[in-house]
Amino acid sequence: MNTDKFIIEGGHRLQGDITPQGAKNEALEVICATLLTNEPVTISNVPDILDVNNLIKLLKSVGVKVKGHDIKDPQKRAYTFQADNLDLDYLASDEFVSKCAQLRGSVLMFGPLLGRYGRATVAKPGGDKIGRRRLDTHIMGFNALGATYTKVRGRDVYELKAKRLKGCYMLLDEASVTGTANIIMAAVLAEGTTTIYNAACEPYIQQLCHMLNRMGATISGIGSNLLTIVGVDSLKGTEHRLLPDMIEVGSFIAMAAMVGDGIRIKDVSTRNLGIIPDTFRRLGITIKEEGDDLYIPKHEKYQIDSFIDGTIMTISDAPWPGLTPDLLSVLLVVATQAEGSVLFHQKMFESRLFFVDKLIDMNAQIILCDPHRAVVIGHNQSKKLRAARMSSPDIRAGIALLIAALSADGTSEISNVAQIDRGYENIEGRLNALGAKIRRSGDKG
């Protein structure tokens, strides 16, 4: 059990360069894709975060050989995976299912296991408590490929089975990112051609497809919501480098806007950030694109745009290339110090905005209209947030609260920082190097 807390001394200005870690969500997808071949697959720029480390441990427990390459530079950290001798009986055991239930990323193992071995045992996965996160899209896709999905008598688990998956046309009920990834990984070894319409098309899905093609898969339509996959008999090994984490890039933009004296975010892969920079610009944030770096100057003040007809700005999440829901929490915090008002509409998860009560306790002016919508009336830097004691409910709310604490008057305390550790590597060390005053306190039992 992790009982660590962050003690944050607010009001210190940040300045300097920072480089984003490898992408968490991409890492979970491509690490699971290594289950599709018995040859070695090397993945670099792997972030040292709880969710990724726990997935690697899970793969080791089922017999995947994992070799970590001793590289000191975090941006070059690499692992080689080889799934040439899995313990298939253990994959159906209560112990394995229990481990999967504690890690949301484990859901991405189902597609590769079903595609390569014709079976997978499914339990409700863990992860953030941010509302309903159903697996229907995954299961409907597997069923369309010919798998059966039945409850195991006497156990609270389900079993997916198929002698050999067969390609087909499918229209997904929603553009689920993990659902799309899972179906792609199942379909690459299916017999015949699979067409997936309303597929998620974010950069991390594109990265997964490119990696699978280098392994011998045949996937076309990459970057669109219409994917065509011609099944093959087997896949080979490859090497793959993760993109920078776009959510971390957005988090650093937010910190730079609120407490920065000039921050350069290096090597961000600008072309893969989509609408993220322009969304911050809508809040009045100046972002200079210099090569593949972003430079955010000091902001004495920043003003929220209005729509062309003068009506109040609305910022909402949407499937890619729309705004990722993972950044609404940090955008909302940035808006608390802006000039003007903005409505945030969180469409995809009904509990993700519930953390705003903690910001209200910090003196932010926020009206929570319902589980999906909140109006922020900015302070225009006329009064700071005040320090508070709070607990991190999920990864993204956790980093949003940390940003708020950095800008607040006084010393704040955030407990349950294991939630932040799930998605952000050594965040206190990296921010302290820019001038923050964050101390980790507690014991790891």
Side-chain angles (χ1 to χ4, degrees), residues 209-217 236-241:
C209 291
H210 289 309
M211 178 179 127
L212 290 171
N213 278 350
R214 289 196 303 274
M215 293 170 69
K236 60 186 180 182
T238 191
E239 295 183 359
H240 180 79
R241 179 174 174 80

Side-chain angles (χ1 to χ4, degrees), residues 6 13-24 45-49 73-75 77 243-252 255 263-268 396 399 402 406 420-440:
F6 280 155
R13 305 295 296 182
L14 309 186
Q15 188 175 34
D17 297 351
I18 193 165
T19 303
Q21 67 191 26
K24 167 186 175 282
N45 198 24
V46 178
D48 183 12
I49 56 178
D73 183 350
Q75 274 66 53
R77 186 185 294 115
L243 287 175
D245 194 308
M246 70 171 78
I247 313 305
E248 194 169 69
V249 173
S251 302
F252 293 155
M255 293 175 193
I263 290 180
R264 178 177 299 277
I265 310 171
K266 297 179 67 65
D267 302 327
V268 301
R396 308 310 175 187
I399 202 69
L402 179 60
L406 289 170
I420 301 174
D421 291 337
R422 287 177 51 213
Y424 294 85
E425 177 179 339
N426 184 27
I427 191 65
E428 73 273 25
R430 296 158 75 201
L431 296 183
N432 286 344
L434 297 179
K437 297 293 182 183
I438 306 170
R439 179 170 59 89
R440 184 182 290 260

